[in-house]
Amino acid sequence: PPHSAPQPGMMRSSIPSTAATAFIPERKPHPGGWLWGEMFKLRNVVLVLLVAQTTSIVLLMRYSRTVVRPLDAGPMYLASAAVFLAEAAKLPCCLYMVARVGGGCRGFVELLQSEVLNQPGETLKCAVPALAYTVQGNLLFAALSNLDPPTYQITYQTKTLFTAVFSRMMLGRRLAHSQWLALFLLFLGTVLVSDLKEARHRARAGGGKPLLGFAAVLGAAVLSSLSSVYFERMLKKPARSAMADRAGLWLRNVQLGTFALPLAGLTMVWNDGLQLRSYGLLHGFDGVVWLVVLLNGCGGVLVAP
């Protein structure tokens, strides 16, 4: 009944439920909780992995190209084969991520059909950065075969200046005078700390050619900057659907891989066909070389998140 007395053993609370929560003590967050949360955000984890990948791959590539091999071991492994295998490892990862964003096989097929097959013009535009990335990958091996890692790393930072120049030319991006001054000082510092005579002495001691190494690393820096800015320009175009927008970067990587993989294969056959026929694709590959291939493939995947 509406006005019946409360039953024995039961008490009616006179405090409204909303007010009762005010008496519950508030849980204070752990002082280090915010710090741990920031440290384990995806972008921070990816940044740490990129730093580790960038620094370690230079040392490993240099070691793999200059390590003393037994006389009966045959020729060194093919740098073009390492570039080809890195592209072969990267493409399946991008395809998997497109399928994951698409929600399964059906969404995967729809995305590829609508964004890749039904837009041949946009897909063909990816051939430009694909060619640049392929040549760049081979130039980096040539540079590290003829330069020591510090000289290589410092010289390769000139890509920051080239990126700014290409961004101004292709994207219309304006930089302040102080930013241009900072880039110029970076380039000037690169020139000043690059001791060409000492690099030539170290390179000759190791059987390298420093001028060829400098030309290769500068060419790689220009191609890296050009392809990055061109790729950014392509990504700025609006997607045709929300799903395509979420998978945009992965789809572009699939389009890049569609051209980069056969281009890397053709480069390998054209430049190293004789050794390829005589010794095979994987001749000279050891644990260090496979780690270089893995890190090269991961470098292209890590920038996507």
Side-chain angles (χ1 to χ4, degrees):
H3 299 288
S4 62
Q7 300 294 325
M10 300 179 61
M11 293 292 293
R12 285 186 178 178
S13 175
S14 60
I15 303 175
S17 59
T18 55
T21 58
F23 292 89
I24 301 176
E26 182 180 359
R27 292 183 64 184
K28 295 183 178 181
H30 191 273
W34 176 85
L35 179 61
W36 282 106
E38 285 295 319
M39 287 177 62
F40 286 99
K41 283 185 178 179
L42 179 60
R43 64 173 181 270
N44 295 331
V45 174
V46 170
L47 178 61
V48 172
L49 291 176
L50 274 174
V51 172
Q53 184 264 351
T54 303
T55 53
S56 60
I57 196 172
V58 173
L59 299 175
L60 290 172
M61 288 173 66
R62 172 66 179 176
Y63 173 79
S64 69
R65 301 301 291 177
T66 58
V67 63
V68 179
R69 297 169 53 83
L71 296 177
D72 58 347
M76 189 181 300
Y77 75 94
L78 294 175
S80 56
V83 174
F84 173 77
L85 291 173
E87 291 295 334
K90 183 169 58 176
L91 185 57
C93 295
C94 297
L95 289 171
Y96 167 75
M97 291 305 300
V98 172
R100 185 175 179 181
V101 173
C105 293
R106 183 175 180 179
F108 169 74
V109 173
E110 290 178 356
L111 278 173
L112 289 184
Q113 184 174 1
S114 62
E115 299 296 324
V116 179
L117 299 178
N118 292 346
Q119 298 189 62
E122 292 297 318
T123 302
L124 283 174
K125 291 179 181 178
C126 289
V128 176
L131 178 61
Y133 281 130
T134 302
V135 177
Q136 173 202 343
N138 286 277
L139 285 177
L140 291 181
F141 277 99
L144 281 167
S145 299
N146 296 279
L147 293 176
D148 57 284
T151 305
Y152 163 86
Q153 278 283 49
I154 294 171
T155 310
Y156 195 49
Q157 298 311 310
T158 55
K159 67 180 181 180
T160 306
L161 176 62
F162 296 137
T163 301
V165 173
F166 288 127
S167 297
R168 181 68 182 92
M169 295 170 57
M170 300 174 63
L171 300 177
R173 185 174 296 160
R174 295 183 178 274
L175 297 180
H177 294 295
S178 58
Q179 293 173 313
W180 283 112
L181 178 61
L183 290 171
F184 174 74
L185 291 176
L186 173 65
F187 182 78
L188 182 62
T190 301
V191 174
L192 292 177
V193 301
S194 299
D195 190 345
L196 187 59
K197 292 183 178 179
E198 182 65 22
R200 185 183 293 112
H201 175 73
R202 290 194 299 264
R204 285 177 177 174
K209 301 177 181 178
L211 291 179
L212 177 61
F214 273 109
V217 73
L218 287 175
V222 172
L223 289 175
S224 175
S225 306
L226 176 61
S227 54
S228 298
V229 175
Y230 187 93
F231 195 55
E232 181 182 354
R233 183 179 178 181
M234 294 182 63
L235 288 173
K236 288 182 178 296
K237 295 185 178 181
R240 304 174 73 179
S241 65
M243 187 182 298
D245 184 57
R246 291 195 303 271
L249 191 53
W250 296 112
L251 280 170
R252 292 300 187 188
N253 275 291
V254 170
Q255 290 173 315
L256 277 176
T258 303
F259 292 101
L261 187 59
L263 283 172
L266 288 174
T267 303
M268 177 178 61
V269 174
W270 180 268
N271 289 335
D272 305 301
L274 181 60
Q275 181 175 332
L276 196 64
R277 289 190 298 270
S278 301
Y279 293 92
L281 176 67
L282 302 180
H283 176 77
F285 274 67
D286 54 14
V288 175
V289 180
W290 280 114
L291 188 55
V292 168
V293 171
L294 179 63
L295 289 173
N296 265 324
C298 289
V301 174
L302 283 174
V303 297

